[in-house]
Amino acid sequence: QNAIPRPSGYRVSWHANPDVEPHHFGSSHPMKPWRLTLTKQLVMAYGMHHAMDLYLARAATYEELAEFHHTDYLDFLQQVMPGDMEKPEKSESIVKYNFGDDCPIFNGLYEYCSLYAGGSLDAARKLCNNQSEIAINWSGGLHHAKKGEASGFCYVNDIVLGILQLLRHHPRVMYVDIDVHHGDGVEQAFWSTDRVLTVSFHKYDKDNFFPGTGARDSTGPSHPLNPGAHHALNVPLHDGIDDKSYIQLFKDIVGPCIETYKPGAIALQCGADSLGCDRLGCFNLNVGAHGACVAYVKTFNLPLLVVGGGGYTPRNVSRAWAHETSILLDAADLIDPNIPETVTFRNHFGPDYSLFPPLSEMRKLDNKNSRAYLNGLVQSVREQLRYIRG
Ligand code: VJV
Ligand code: CA
Ligand code: ZN
């Protein structure tokens, strides 16, 4: 495969540390850091690494993590060991910090956390220093982590740390989240400020889908004198949303948000569990549609921090993130939709060996989002935006 030419207009930087990849949540746990290896192999097989600045992410320091997280929680995260799950004297802390099936304690947990957080911090700093226009950390995007507890496979919130860094240089930062789950940790962290507008698209079912928050009318603190009022924007969806409706909805909402709020930078969480055939997700998007959202955000030409997130069918996660890397490089047209013969682990991409398998046709799922429902969402977002100024 020929190398992708280096774009002339702007720089794209890639922030990763291969030491993240071998960490293991447990054999049947859905979160598989190995999907990052597969993503990197695809990106390299297409020659995209020649078109970006590649940085080895360093581990975030304890002090950097403490910019958001409580030190008692970090101390626990640093010291806890896999065997502690069964120790009665540890059980109080394990419950307090929400470790368990979703957030297991595994070997190298603290290293894993500090490396994926370091990637997002490095990426945000490159944007602030004008050394990069688009900075990518596919190992980040862990949007559920709270100040003082783990949640939903997330232990430290690299996105919050990245946005805090961006806020040192930009008066307003917008956060966009296309993971199938609600970006509750990021929303909560910036709940009381008007300097971050958080926008999450997600499956919403208060009682039956994690984390159960993110209703349309959950828009920020209710007191009108609290600056964060109206600065959380939620787009709750039902099962089976398809390419056409999602792309239309995304543009109808994200476009007016950017035009109204006028952020100085954008952080984009690209959770790939919104694809069809995801092990945990329930949407019906193809790789092309997921990528179309990334392409749309890119058209605004703002400093862009791009992070990963969920995604539980590794062969499709890597397809989406490789395709999105090519979009960010303005090189999507130069890429062969047939996966190169030379890619390592090529067997994972059979039988079609295509970057764009028909995911929406492989699992029969009705779109439970009626036109009227989606129109109502757009209308209600317009009303919310009347309270927002740039
Ligand atoms: O739904 C939940 C919480 C429970 C309690 C814990 N059990 C294991 C599951 C039900 C109520 N948690 C969700 C968390 C989803 C996190 C998504 C993260 C992201 O994509 O937004 C960002 C990275 C959930 N859904 C499915 C599972 N947990 C799940 C966890 C497992 C599992 C199978 C499913 C943990 C261990 C094992 N299997 C072996
Ligand atoms: Ca989301
Ligand atoms: Zn998710």
Side-chain angles (χ1 to χ4, degrees), residues 236-283:
L237 298 167
H238 308 301
D239 287 3
I241 193 162
D242 59 29
D243 290 357
K244 200 162 165 277
S245 348
Y246 194 90
I247 296 172
Q248 189 64 51
L249 180 73
F250 187 84
K251 292 183 175 173
D252 285 348
I253 290 177
V254 173
C257 286
I258 298 176
E259 279 149 18
T260 305
Y261 189 57
K262 298 182 181 66
I266 298 179
L268 176 60
Q269 196 267 21
C270 302
D273 47 7
S274 40
L275 294 173
C277 295
D278 186 78
R279 181 175 156 194
L280 298 190
C282 52
F283 288 174

Side-chain angles (χ1 to χ4, degrees), residues 143 177-183 200-202:
H143 58 180
D177 182 320
I178 60 171
D179 189 291
V180 75
H181 299 98
H182 177 222
S200 175
F201 295 78
H202 46 266

Side-chain angles (χ1 to χ4, degrees), residues 28-31 101-102 142-144 152-154 179 181 210 273 279-280 309-310 312:
S28 48
H29 194 287
M31 178 55 102
D101 289 339
D102 273 357
L142 299 176
H143 58 180
H144 299 304
F153 320 161
C154 307
D179 189 291
H181 299 98
F210 187 87
D273 47 7
R279 181 175 156 194
L280 298 190
Y312 305 101

Side-chain angles (χ1 to χ4, degrees), residues 277 284-286 352 354 356-363:
C277 295
N284 216 3
L285 304 182
N286 289 298
D352 53 276
S354 168
F356 305 100
L359 301 181
S360 62
E361 288 157 35
M362 289 156 77
R363 179 168 74 170

Side-chain angles (χ1 to χ4, degrees), residues 37-306:
T37 311
L38 213 49
T39 303
K40 182 175 69 182
Q41 292 306 330
L42 267 184
V43 163
M44 286 173 48
Y46 281 113
M48 290 188 243
H49 53 304
H50 298 297
M52 304 183 273
D53 293 329
L54 307 176
Y55 294 96
L56 178 67
R58 65 197 169 81
T61 64
Y62 181 96
E63 288 71 27
E64 286 171 332
L65 297 174
E67 293 278 330
F68 176 55
H69 292 284
H70 289 314
T71 53
D72 63 320
Y73 172 55
L74 293 176
D75 293 340
F76 183 78
L77 196 63
Q78 213 167 19
Q79 283 155 25
V80 75
M81 310 258 259
D84 292 354
M85 216 63 153
E86 289 77 44
K87 296 198 183 121
E89 70 272 21
K90 302 272 178 182
S91 75
E92 196 187 330
S93 303
I94 283 171
V95 171
K96 177 173 174 201
Y97 300 125
N98 199 27
F99 289 82
D101 289 339
D102 273 357
C103 302
I105 299 159
F106 52 82
N107 281 318
L109 177 58
Y110 190 81
E111 182 195 36
Y112 167 77
C113 295
S114 53
L115 287 176
Y116 77 68
S120 294
L121 274 169
D122 282 355
R125 288 199 184 124
K126 284 288 167 212
L127 297 172
C128 290
N129 297 338
N130 294 315
Q131 289 174 359
S132 176
E133 276 70 47
I134 299 178
I136 306 171
N137 172 23
W138 292 125
S139 71
L142 299 176
H143 58 180
H144 299 304
K146 309 288 156 41
K147 246 183 206 319
E149 67 177 84
S151 173
F153 320 161
C154 307
Y155 302 85
V156 302
N157 201 314
D158 62 290
I159 310 170
V160 170
L161 296 169
I163 292 175
L164 286 172
Q165 175 63 44
L166 294 172
L167 286 171
R168 295 182 178 199
H169 289 253
H170 300 283
R172 291 176 307 287
V173 174
M174 189 166 135
Y175 173 64
V176 182
D177 182 320
I178 60 171
D179 189 291
V180 75
H181 299 98
H182 177 222
D184 59 347
V186 183
E187 177 183 278
Q188 194 181 98
F190 300 112
W191 186 250
S192 297
T193 178
D194 54 4
R195 293 189 60 203
V196 180
L197 177 67
T198 60
V199 181
S200 175
F201 295 78
H202 46 266
K203 151 88 175 177
Y204 175 71
D205 177 343
K206 191 165 78 64
D207 301 311
N208 299 306
F209 197 74
F210 187 87
T213 50
R216 177 76 277 277
D217 62 4
S218 170
T219 59
S222 59
H223 198 290
L225 291 178
N226 187 319
H230 315 294
H231 285 75
L233 201 149
N234 284 303
V235 187
L237 298 167
H238 308 301
D239 287 3
I241 193 162
D242 59 29
D243 290 357
K244 200 162 165 277
S245 348
Y246 194 90
I247 296 172
Q248 189 64 51
L249 180 73
F250 187 84
K251 292 183 175 173
D252 285 348
I253 290 177
V254 173
C257 286
I258 298 176
E259 279 149 18
T260 305
Y261 189 57
K262 298 182 181 66
I266 298 179
L268 176 60
Q269 196 267 21
C270 302
D273 47 7
S274 40
L275 294 173
C277 295
D278 186 78
R279 181 175 156 194
L280 298 190
C282 52
F283 288 174
N284 216 3
L285 304 182
N286 289 298
V287 168
H290 201 269
C293 298
V294 177
Y296 182 67
V297 172
K298 180 176 178 291
T299 63
F300 291 88
N301 290 322
L302 289 161
L304 187 57
L305 170 62
V306 178

